[in-house]
Structures are given as C-alpha cells and as structure tokens.
Amino acid sequence: MSEIAIRQADDSAGIEAARRLFRAYQAATDVEACFQSFEAELDGLPGGYVPPEGRLLIAWRGGEALGIVALKSVEPGESGTCEIKRL
C-alpha cells in the first residue's frame, strides 16, 4: 500500500478533487449547505484558502483523494492562528 501524502490544492486537479470531496461530505450529511453559500464557495475555490492566510489540504494515496481540510486565518494579515472551515 502506498503512503499518504498531504498537499496543498493548488492546481486544477487538486481544486476539482476538493470540490468532489466537499460535495461528497455535504451529500452524506442531512445539513442544508445553501445558507453557507456552499456552491459559490466551491465555484470560487481555492478562494480564501490560499497561503499565507489559508490552506486547502488534500490527503492523497497515489492518485486518489482521500480527505480534505480547509483552514482560514482568524485574523487576516496575522499569522499563527487559523480555524478549520471545512473538514
């Protein structure tokens, strides 16, 4: 079995994988995400999740995207403190 690699989603393949993972999570829950502008956020990825004030990290095994976390700075312009926005 190959190792898991965690990489920033910074290319078209990563962004598409992020959209798939976020949609799969939303579909697996009973939570209505429209109030959170969910589709607009997915359309605008990577949006606010780019360094240095955010991260959009995907766990990969080979070519398969296994999981995702989106981090965003709590205080834009400051470094060191972030919150998990999507998981």
Side-chain angles (χ1 to χ4, degrees):
M1 188 177 297
S2 62
E3 291 187 25
I4 294 174
I6 298 174
R7 297 191 308 263
Q8 174 73 23
D10 57 5
D11 61 9
S12 60
I15 299 302
E16 284 306 311
R19 288 182 180 123
R20 281 193 309 275
L21 289 166
F22 285 147
R23 284 189 177 113
Y25 172 76
Q26 194 276 329
T29 66
D30 290 331
V31 176
E32 183 59 48
C34 66
F35 72 92
Q36 299 173 338
S37 302
F38 186 70
E39 284 300 322
E41 181 178 340
L42 295 187
D43 289 344
L45 286 176
Y49 304 122
V50 295
E53 295 188 1
R55 300 289 187 277
L56 188 56
L57 303 173
I58 298 178
W60 296 89
R61 181 180 294 136
E64 181 183 6
L66 304 174
I68 189 165
V69 64
L71 307 169
K72 194 178 253 188
S73 177
V74 172
E75 297 180 33
E78 300 290 323
S79 63
T81 306
C82 66
E83 65 179 320
I84 296 173
K85 298 298 285 185
R86 303 274 181 214
L87 177 62

